Amino acid sequence: FAAHIEDKMVEAAREGARLVMFPEYAIEAALAWKPAGLPATEEMAFLARAGSDLLELLKPLPERHGISLLCGSMPVACADGYTNTAILLTVDGREIRQDKLSLTPGEQDEESWQLTPGTTLKTFDLDGLKMAILICLDVEMPALSSLLAPEKLDLLLVPSMTEKLSGYHRVFGCAKARAVELMTAVAVCGTVGAAKGT
C-alpha cells in the first residue's frame, strides 16, 4: 500500500504537482488483510494500528520526492476512542492533522465505527498558500465556511468518501458552494463505496 502511494507521489511530482491528496478513509484498503472474523466494532482499532504503521513508511516520502502528501484520513486514538483525522505530511517535515468535525450517522454507530468528533478547525501555510482541510461532511456545513471566511484561504482541501454516488455529488456540490462563499480554490478527492465485508 505504501509503495502504491509512493508511485502516485512520483507520478504527480513528475507532472509538476507540489501536493497529492488521497481520499477520506484511504486506510480502509487495509481491511483487505484484516483478521478473519474481526467484528465491525474493532475495525477502527485495527485501522488505527494499520494507519500508524503506514505513516512510518510514508513520513520520509515528501522530502524524498519533493511533494507534500495528504494521506486522506484514518482513525487516530484519542482520550474518547478514535477520531477520523486527515494527515498532511509536508516537504518541509511538518505533520499537519485535522480531525473531522461533523460525523455521519455511520461514524457514530455504537455497533460499528463509533468515532469522536474533532473540536478545532485549523489553517496552515504551505508553499506560500494559506490552506485548510475539511473532511467530507465538514464541507457540507455552511457554518464552517463562516468560520473560515476571515482566514482568506487560498486553497481548501477536501478528502471525501461516500457510500453512494449521490453522496459524492452532494460533497462536490457543497465544495463548489464553499469555493464561491470563500472566494477560493477547493480541491476535492472523493471515492464511492465501501470495502467488501465491512
Side-chain angles (χ1 to χ4, degrees):
F1 189 32
H4 169 71
I5 291 172
E6 184 172 17
D7 288 347
K8 294 300 179 186
M9 292 177 72
V10 169
E11 182 182 326
R14 192 178 315 127
E15 295 294 323
R18 297 283 301 139
L19 179 137
V20 65
M21 175 171 45
F22 281 80
E24 179 184 27
Y25 289 121
I27 193 62
E28 193 176 347
L31 291 176
W33 59 85
K34 71 179 181 180
L38 182 73
T41 53
E42 294 180 28
E43 285 182 350
M44 287 294 102
F46 172 79
L47 290 176
R49 289 189 302 274
S52 180
D53 292 345
L54 179 65
L55 274 177
E56 291 308 308
L57 298 171
L58 299 178
K59 282 180 181 178
L61 300 183
E63 183 180 1
R64 181 182 308 157
H65 299 297
I67 183 170
S68 295
L69 169 65
L70 177 50
C71 307
S73 75
M74 60 186 70
V76 172
C78 69
D80 298 323
Y82 297 93
T83 56
N84 177 6
T85 303
I87 301 174
L88 173 62
L89 304 174
T90 67
V91 173
D92 60 12
R94 290 178 291 157
E95 186 174 306
I96 298 166
R97 293 179 177 228
Q98 175 63 57
D99 297 335
K100 188 173 184 179
L101 305 170
S102 308
L103 299 179
T104 66
E107 289 173 313
Q108 299 175 78
D109 185 349
E110 293 181 7
E111 296 181 16
S112 63
W113 287 13
Q114 188 175 8
L115 295 171
T116 300
T119 58
T120 306
L121 181 56
K122 303 171 188 172
T123 61
F124 55 92
D125 293 308
L126 181 62
D127 292 331
L129 301 176
K130 186 146 195 186
M131 300 184 193
I133 301 167
L134 291 179
I135 303 171
C136 199
L137 184 58
D138 287 343
V139 82
E140 298 179 46
M141 302 296 152
L144 295 179
S145 184
S146 296
L147 292 175
L148 287 173
E151 300 294 330
K152 300 191 182 331
L153 295 181
D154 298 301
L155 180 60
L156 178 60
L157 303 171
V158 183
S160 170
M161 181 193 83
T162 58
E163 184 180 349
K164 299 176 183 172
L165 191 57
S166 59
Y168 173 91
H169 288 293
R170 188 182 63 247
V171 169
F172 272 72
C174 290
K176 291 175 190 176
R178 302 299 82 88
V180 171
E181 292 164 356
L182 298 171
M183 297 298 287
T184 192
V186 179
V188 186
C189 178
T191 187
V192 178
K196 207 171 194 176
T198 70

